[in-house]
Every structure is written in structure tokens, then in C-alpha cells.
């Protein structure tokens, strides 16, 4: 018996958009059928989705929840956790996010995951997973432990090639260790997820701007610049190419130089994938000059018009596959407390309006098809990160993670209407669609603004990267 039928919507399936009914049983999609052909009388509940878009739940492959951040006064801020941000995500139609487990010295990779579980288990209304985040000095047993973690269902490894800020050490991994890591990833079927910036260029620019007394955060694009992205992307990609079978995912591409580097690697057939942030597509370094301009920032930095153009082209040409948030949910006073190039907080509040804002910008304003839109906010993340077709698809057998968008909804994003924090970088942005219903594994989590989820509804997702993703430039 079907527990739920979603009737008569425009359903975005892997085969395209079709008017059909979707039947749900035992947390999964049990049937997709011509309108009116599923046994509605015996179903537990029927939702009328006429004139609505039925899509897979959003997937955000890059969030930082309950994340420690050092404030300029030396105290540590802990950002909002999965219970709070998950609630916002569900209101915005996102059902799954991928965060990070910090692999620190003295721990094994699996211990790092267990430690991070304390922040999530029983506390996340969304389904979730982690990228394992390596910190500067990999432990001696590093290769074996990484292999073990990949086989245990934790196949993505986050690597920084920069410390990002002069005050911070312990993030960047030297190239010898990255080389070792790539050998393990290639052998074991893992995927490197990379924050690539050229540390020499970045630190040089910090020193230069501090010397010149140009330390306001409005100069961040000069520090975390296009050349840095060019050099570091190419160095990482060349290293990956030297270890056959290394698959990598370049996080938050911000510059035209990064798009070109990924495009070239893919033309050579390498298994390389690209992510950007809606922040980078829609805001530029000019926005740093607006009131509270820090709210548009995340590291590396906002760039320029030609970079934005390249990012958009990248989404059309299959160079950029995912639009993520780099979510870091904190109050406006904390987001704007840093005023300098070397103390401004990265990360964004944006998980809730992501689907609505990107529908406006992609489908309404730029003529993207619904499948293109769904690929960029959901399906591609599932495919690259080893969650497909369990997640990211409306197909028989997939988890019943479904967002029903109302494309008649008109309005503006207002922080006061959201469930994130006391500001949003998307304040006043036009809305041409908004989720009316969000469903996670068959359970209605949000319906018409009412919240029915609980902190123990979410589940950890063990993953395995698909062979086609590892074998060459798929998608
Ligand atoms: Zn991040």
C-alpha cells in the first residue's frame, strides 16, 4: 500500500520532466505513473501537486555546521548546528547536506568521524554525511587509515592548499602529503575535495596590503586573487594527473582562471568536477563596499564580472556541476565583527534560500531547463559524492526525498521569514518559486510553512563513489 501519493505535478525525473503521479511506500519512491492511475483511495495521504514542480530534495555538498571560528578578540564562536540549520534547510527544500569531520593529530580517521558524530547523531533533521578534513601533519598511519575510512563508507577527503589567513596555521597540506593522499584515493576509489589557493601568493598579498595599510576587507579580492586560483588549481590538477585514477572535486570555484583550469583537465578526460557557490555567481567584489559588505564574503573571495560570467558559462558547459553554500550560520554581529582582510569570517548563511534564489536566477532569468537546475542543486552532488540514485533522483527505488516547488509564489527573500539567523545576504532578492512541501524519506518535514521534522529524523549516509565518476570526466 502506498503511504503517500503526490498527484499531477510536473515531475523532474532522470528522463526529463513529465506530468505524473509519484507513489511512496517504506521511505522510498515505489511508483511513478500516469496521472490518476495510482490507487488513491487506499493511500495514506494524497498531495495535490497540480501546477507545481516535483523535484528531488536539494543536496548541499558543502556546509560547516557547529563549526568553531576564532573571533578577532581571540574567543571561539561555535556556529549554528545541524538541528538549527537543518530546520532552515528543510524549509528551503534541501534534505541532505555534507559537512566535514576534522581529522586532527592523535586521532585515527575513524575516531575523527566518531568525534564528529557527537555533533550530528540525534541532532540532525536532514540526512547528512562528512568529508574527512585533513589537518596539516597527517599521522604516520595516514595512508592505511584513509584506506580504511574509504572502505567504511567515508570516501571523500578535504584538503587545503593554503592556511587562508596569516594568523592560522595547520590547515594546508604540503604537496608531498597530497601526493601520498592521491595515491590512496586512486587505489581505494576515493575522491579528493579540494580548497585550492596558492599559499605563497595569498600570504604575499597579505604582507603587501598590510605594508601599504590597505587592510579593509573590501580588498579581499586582491589577496585571494585570480592568479592564486590559476596557479593552485593547475598545480593540484597536474599532481592528480600524475597519479592515474585520482578523482577530484574543486570546491567553491570563484574565478575564471579556476573554471579554465577545470575545463582543460576535463578536456583531457580527467575525473575532475567543479563546485561554485551562488554567492560567487551573483555577487562580486563591488558588493564588499555595500553596508555590512562582509555578509557577501566567503573564502577565497568574491571576484569580478568576468569571473561571474565564466562561472555561469561553467554551469552551462558542464565544468561546474554543483552550486553549494559553504554554509556557516552565525549572527550578523559575528559575521561583521571582522573588518580587515585578515580577520573577516568566511562562510555564508544561505542554505534556506538556495533553491528559491537559484530557481529565479537560472530558470526564470536565464532560461535553464528544470533538469539543468535540478542537476546543479541536487542530482550532480549525489552522483559525484556517491549517493546516487539513492539520493538526487525521483526514480523507483530511490529515497523519497522530494521537494514540491510552488512556481506561482512571488515575493522577496526576507531574513525575518527565514529560519537561519538575523540576516541574509539574499535580503530583497526576487523569488519566483518556493518550496511548498519538503519530504525526507517519505515523511513530510515541512508543509506550507509548518514544520514537522525532529532532530532524530536525519540519518548518516555511507557512500561509495560510482565507477563512472572515478573513471573519467563524467557528467
Ligand atoms: Zn567551506
Amino acid at each position: 500500500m502506498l503511504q503517500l501519493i503526490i498527484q499531477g505535478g510536473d515531475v523532474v525525473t532522470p528522463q526529463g520532466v513529465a506530468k505524473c503521479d509519484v507513489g511512496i511506500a517504506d521511505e522510498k519512491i515505489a511508483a511513478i505513473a500516469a496521472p490518476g492511475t495510482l490507487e488513491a483511495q487506499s493511500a495514506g495521504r494524497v498531495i495535490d501537486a497540480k501546477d507545481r514542480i516535483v523535484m528531488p530534495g536539494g543536496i548541499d555538498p558543502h556546509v560547516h555546521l557547529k563549526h568553531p571560528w576564532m573571533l578577532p578578540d581571540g574567543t571561539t564562536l561555535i556556529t549554528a548546528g545541524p538541528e538549527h540549520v537543518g530546520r532552515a534547510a528543510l524549509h528551503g527544500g534541501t534534505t541532505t547536506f555534507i559537512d566535514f569531520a576534522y581529522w586532527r593529530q592523535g586521532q585515527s580517521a575513524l575516531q575523527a568521524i566518531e568525534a564528529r558524530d557527537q555533533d550530528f547523531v540525534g541532532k540532525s533533521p536532514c540526512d547528512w554525511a562528512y568529508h574527512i578534513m585533513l589537518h596539516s601533519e597527517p599521522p604516520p598511519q595516514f595512508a592505511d587509515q584513509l584506506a580504511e575510512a574509504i572502505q567504511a563508507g567515508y570516501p571523500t577527503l578535504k584538503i587545503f592548499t593554503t592556511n587562508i589567513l596569516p594568523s592560522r596555521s595547520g590547515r594546508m597540506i604540503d604537496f608531498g602529503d597530497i601526493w601520498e593522499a592521491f595515491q590512496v584515493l586512486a587505489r581505494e576509489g576515493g575522491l579528493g575535495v579540494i580548497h585550492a589557493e596558492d599559499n605563497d601568493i595569498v600570504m604575499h598579498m597579505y604582507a603587501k596590503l598590510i605594508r601599504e595599510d590597505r587592510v579593509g576587507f573590501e580588498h579581499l579580492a586582491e589577496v585571494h586573487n585570480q592568479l592564486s586560483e590559476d596557479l593552485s588549481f593547475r598545480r593540484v590538477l597536474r599532481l592528480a594527473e600524475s597519479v592515474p585514477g585520482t578523482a577530484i572535486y574543486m570546491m567553491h570555484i570563484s574565478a575564471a582562471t579556476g573554471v579554465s583550469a577545470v575545463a582543460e583537465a576535463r578536456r583531457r578526460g580527467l575525473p575532475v568536477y567543479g563546485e561554485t557557490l551562488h554567492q560567487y555567481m551573483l555577487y562580486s567584489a563591488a558588493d564588499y563596499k555595500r553596508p555590512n559588505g562582509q555578509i557577501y564574503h566567503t573564502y577565497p573571495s568574491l571576484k569580478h564580472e568576468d569571473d561571474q560570467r565564466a562561472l555561469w558559462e561553467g554551469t552551462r558547459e558542464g565544468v561546474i556541476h554543483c552550486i553549494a553554500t559553504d554554509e556557516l550560520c552565525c549572527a550578523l554581529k559575528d559575521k561583521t565583527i571582522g573588518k580587515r582582510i585578515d580577520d573577516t569570517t568566511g562562510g555564508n548563511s544561505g542554505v534556506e534560500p538556495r533553491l528559491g534564489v537559484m530557481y529565479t536566477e537560472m530558470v526564470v532569468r536565464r532560461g535553464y531547463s528544470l533538469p539543468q537546475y535540478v542537476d546543479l542543486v541536487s542530482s550532480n552532488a549525489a552522483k559525484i559524492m556517491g549517493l546516487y540514485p539513492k539520493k538526487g533522483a525521483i526514480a523507483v527505488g530511490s529515497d523519497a526525498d522530494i521537494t514540491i516547488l510552488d512556481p506561482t509564489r512571488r515575493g522577496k527573500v526576507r531574513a525575518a521569514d527565514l529560519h537561519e539567523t538575523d540576516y541574509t545576504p539574499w535580503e530583497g532578492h526576487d523569488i519566483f518559486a518556493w518550496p511548498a512541501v519538503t519530504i525526507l524519506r517519505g515523511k513530510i518535514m515541512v508543509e506550507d510553512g509548518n514544520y514537522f521534522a525532529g532532530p532524530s529524523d536525519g540519518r548518516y549516509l555511507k557512500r561509495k563513489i560510482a565507477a563512472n565518476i572515478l573513471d573519467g570526466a563524467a557528467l
Side-chain angles (χ1 to χ4, degrees):
M1 191 190 101
L2 297 172
Q3 281 136 16
L4 179 63
I5 296 175
I6 300 166
Q7 230 170 31
D10 292 311
V11 183
V12 186
T13 73
Q15 290 75 38
V17 184
K19 218 171 259 313
C20 47
D21 293 354
V22 179
I24 294 164
D26 299 326
E27 303 193 352
K28 302 211 179 289
I29 294 169
I32 299 174
T37 57
L38 295 179
E39 275 278 342
Q41 298 91 320
S42 61
R45 164 97 200 266
V46 176
I47 294 177
D48 179 8
K50 191 173 171 298
D51 300 326
R52 289 182 169 179
I53 297 159
V54 180
M55 61 178 278
I59 299 173
D60 191 338
H62 186 164
V63 302
H64 301 271
L65 312 183
K66 203 161 182 216
H67 182 79
W69 181 269
M70 177 107 73
L71 295 172
D73 67 3
T75 59
T76 299
L77 167 81
I78 305 286
T79 66
E83 185 165 357
H84 180 90
V85 179
R87 180 167 182 261
L90 290 165
H91 275 281
T94 288
T95 48
T96 293
F97 36 55
I98 309 183
D99 204 302
F100 299 83
Y102 317 113
W103 188 1
R104 296 218 163 85
Q105 260 176 336
Q107 285 178 318
S108 69
L110 293 178
Q111 284 168 335
I113 289 159
E114 278 167 28
R116 192 61 165 144
D117 279 344
Q118 309 287 317
D119 296 330
F120 277 82
V121 174
K123 296 170 185 165
S124 178
C126 290
D127 281 359
W128 81 95
Y130 315 122
H131 308 292
I132 300 171
M133 186 192 278
L134 199 52
H135 286 68
S136 59
E137 280 297 314
Q141 299 306 317
F142 155 71
D144 289 344
Q145 292 180 3
L146 178 59
E148 188 187 4
I150 293 169
Q151 296 311 327
Y154 305 87
T156 48
L157 182 71
K158 171 82 179 276
I159 293 171
F160 291 92
T161 65
T162 175
N163 282 321
I164 306 175
L165 294 170
S167 61
R168 201 138 330 135
S169 59
R171 286 203 185 206
M172 74 180 275
I173 310 301
D174 76 40
F175 260 69
D177 289 324
I178 299 176
W179 189 24
E180 295 292 333
F182 282 1
Q183 293 171 48
V184 178
L185 294 175
R187 196 175 59 232
E188 304 290 335
L191 175 78
V193 302
I194 319 286
H195 177 137
E197 294 191 75
D198 188 280
N199 198 61
D200 289 347
I201 295 289
V202 168
M203 294 307 158
H204 171 80
M205 291 307 293
Y206 272 115
K208 178 176 156 72
L209 266 62
I210 289 167
R211 208 162 52 231
E212 294 171 359
D213 201 22
R214 294 192 294 128
V215 296
F217 67 86
E218 67 275 14
H219 301 297
L220 272 163
E222 276 185 71
V223 178
H224 297 267
N225 59 34
Q226 296 148 320
L227 177 64
S228 157
E229 188 153 322
D230 190 18
L231 297 174
S232 64
F233 271 45
R234 286 171 189 280
R235 194 172 182 216
V236 165
L237 292 166
R238 186 70 196 100
L239 185 67
E241 192 170 5
S242 78
V243 182
T246 305
I248 56 179
Y249 174 83
M250 303 305 284
M251 288 194 139
H252 48 43
I253 302 175
S254 68
T257 50
V259 178
S260 305
V262 171
E264 279 176 34
R266 287 179 58 84
R267 276 198 292 276
R268 290 202 298 282
L270 301 176
V272 176
Y273 304 91
E275 169 196 283
T276 193
L277 312 175
H278 54 341
Q279 209 101 340
Y280 289 158
M281 303 171 87
L282 295 165
Y283 292 123
S284 75
D287 292 296
Y288 286 137
K289 303 211 167 79
R290 292 164 65 184
N292 292 327
Q294 299 100 317
I295 65 174
Y296 308 104
H297 174 68
T298 192
Y299 294 98
S301 73
L302 299 168
K303 298 290 194 298
H304 307 286
E305 259 178 52
D306 52 330
D307 299 296
Q308 291 177 292
R309 227 177 353 257
L311 294 173
W312 278 103
E313 277 166 23
T315 63
R316 278 213 169 85
E317 292 166 2
V319 178
I320 287 175
H321 304 91
C322 302
I323 299 171
T325 58
D326 207 351
E327 177 81 13
L328 190 98
C329 185
C330 63
L332 179 65
K333 75 169 174 42
D334 294 319
K335 182 65 184 165
T336 56
I337 192 168
K339 312 256 186 261
R340 294 168 49 103
I341 48 176
D342 55 2
D343 69 2
T344 293
T345 305
N348 297 304
S349 158
V351 76
E352 186 168 356
R354 181 179 69 119
L355 261 51
V357 165
M358 291 320 293
Y359 181 91
T360 298
E361 294 297 334
M362 296 174 75
V363 181
V364 176
R365 297 207 160 129
R366 289 173 178 82
Y368 284 59
S369 69
L370 282 174
Q372 281 177 307
Y373 163 71
V374 167
D375 281 347
L376 284 154
V377 299
S378 173
S379 307
N380 283 346
K383 288 176 181 170
I384 296 166
M385 298 299 165
L387 291 169
Y388 195 84
K390 179 180 170 66
K391 301 294 188 189
I394 296 190
V396 171
S398 294
D399 280 3
D401 298 354
I402 295 173
T403 293
I404 304 176
L405 280 184
D406 177 2
T408 65
R409 175 82 176 262
R410 295 288 175 277
K412 306 267 189 201
V413 178
R414 299 285 177 217
D417 298 331
L418 303 179
H419 305 79
E420 294 199 72
T421 181
D422 57 352
Y423 81 95
T424 171
W426 302 102
E427 188 75 36
H429 197 283
D430 290 323
I431 286 302
F432 286 86
W434 198 258
V437 182
T438 307
I439 297 166
L440 175 68
R441 282 181 279 97
K443 177 176 172 180
I444 295 172
M445 308 298 265
V446 179
E447 184 171 18
D448 299 326
N450 299 303
Y451 189 64
F452 304 105
S456 43
D457 283 334
R459 272 190 216 147
Y460 188 85
L461 301 164
K462 292 206 173 176
R463 298 176 289 132
K464 183 172 174 20
I465 313 291
N468 72 312
I469 295 295
L470 299 172
D471 286 348
L475 305 180

